[in-house]
């Protein structure tokens, strides 16, 4: 809050975005537990400042020379509840996804995207599950974390 006890507009806007995200995705957090695999990394690295070298990214800077990481690495987290696996696609920017921890050995009945009524296209093989989110997946919420609900047998 500011000195007068009020919140700046940008802060209330961010809190509202987080609240909206929770309204859509709460079932993937509340009363869940870690799944067999907790995390996967995506190989996609999006650089915000491509001129910054790896050495520069890992050094201390002063207040004028910000040392905040300049890359966003999409990653995947899992939770579960009974025969449902929730997949958090964090910092996701493309409709395609690949889940290396889920394959044909796990009997998948259905995959849906929380907050969307549109179908998620997917196919599992011996090594992984590959899928495509609905084309308008970014419109679900402002926070770039999208949650797949995978129902298993």
């Amino acid at each position: 809050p500011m000195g007068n006890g009020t919140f700046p507009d940008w802060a209330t806007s961010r809190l509202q975005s987080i609240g909206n995200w929770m309204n859509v995705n709460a079932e993937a957090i509340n009363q869940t537990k870690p799944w067999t695999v907790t995390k996967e990394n995506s190989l996609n690295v999006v650089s915000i400042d491509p001129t910054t070298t790896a050495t520069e990214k890992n050094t201390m800077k002063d207040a004028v020379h910000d040392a905040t990481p300049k890359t966003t690495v999409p990653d995947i987290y899992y939770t579960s509840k009974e025969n449902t696996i929730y997949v958090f696609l964090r910092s996701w920017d493309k409709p395609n996804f690949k889940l290396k921890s889920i394959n044909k050995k796990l009997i998948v009945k259905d995959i849906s995207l929380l907050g969307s009524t549109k179908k998620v296209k997917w196919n599992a093989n011996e090594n992984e599950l590959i899928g495509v989110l609905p084309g308008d997946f970014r419109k679900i919420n402002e926070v770039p974390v999208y949650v797949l609900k995978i129902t298993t047998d």
Side-chain angles (χ1 to χ4, degrees):
M2 297 189 305
N4 65 2
T6 62
F7 286 92
D9 290 341
W10 61 266
T12 54
S13 175
R14 287 183 186 169
L15 290 170
Q16 185 64 48
S17 294
I18 293 169
N20 292 341
W21 186 90
M22 283 298 297
N23 287 338
V24 170
N25 300 292
E27 74 174 85
I29 296 172
N30 297 332
Q31 301 171 4
T32 61
K33 60 183 181 182
W35 186 55
T36 309
V37 175
T38 305
K39 178 183 177 185
E40 288 182 22
N41 283 332
S42 171
L43 298 177
N44 300 328
V45 177
V46 178
S47 180
I48 297 169
D49 181 4
T51 62
T52 306
T53 65
T55 306
E56 290 173 325
K57 290 178 188 173
N58 296 321
T59 58
M60 291 292 289
K61 306 271 182 169
D62 58 36
V64 176
H65 300 96
D66 183 15
T68 305
K70 303 296 186 245
T71 57
T72 302
V73 180
D75 58 13
I76 299 167
Y77 278 83
Y78 294 92
T79 62
S80 64
K81 187 186 318 181
E82 298 167 1
N83 60 340
T84 302
I85 302 166
Y86 295 98
V87 182
F88 293 76
L89 304 172
R90 298 181 345 141
S91 300
W92 220 255
D93 59 352
K94 295 185 171 101
N96 299 333
F97 63 89
K98 184 185 297 186
L99 307 178
K100 299 171 195 162
S101 300
I102 298 178
N103 56 39
K104 210 174 193 177
K105 295 174 189 167
L106 183 69
I107 299 172
V108 174
K109 287 179 164 180
D110 187 46
I111 300 178
S112 61
L113 178 63
L114 296 183
S116 176
T117 57
K118 296 183 178 174
K119 288 279 189 187
V120 173
K121 297 176 185 175
W122 60 276
N123 184 38
N125 61 40
E126 288 75 25
N127 301 315
E128 62 204 3
L129 186 144
I130 299 170
V132 180
L133 299 172
D136 62 348
F137 75 96
R138 287 186 196 93
K139 294 180 182 179
I140 293 172
N141 53 48
E142 295 175 44
V143 178
V145 178
Y146 307 97
V147 182
L148 297 172
K149 180 178 181 177
I150 300 178
T151 308
T152 62
D153 219 2

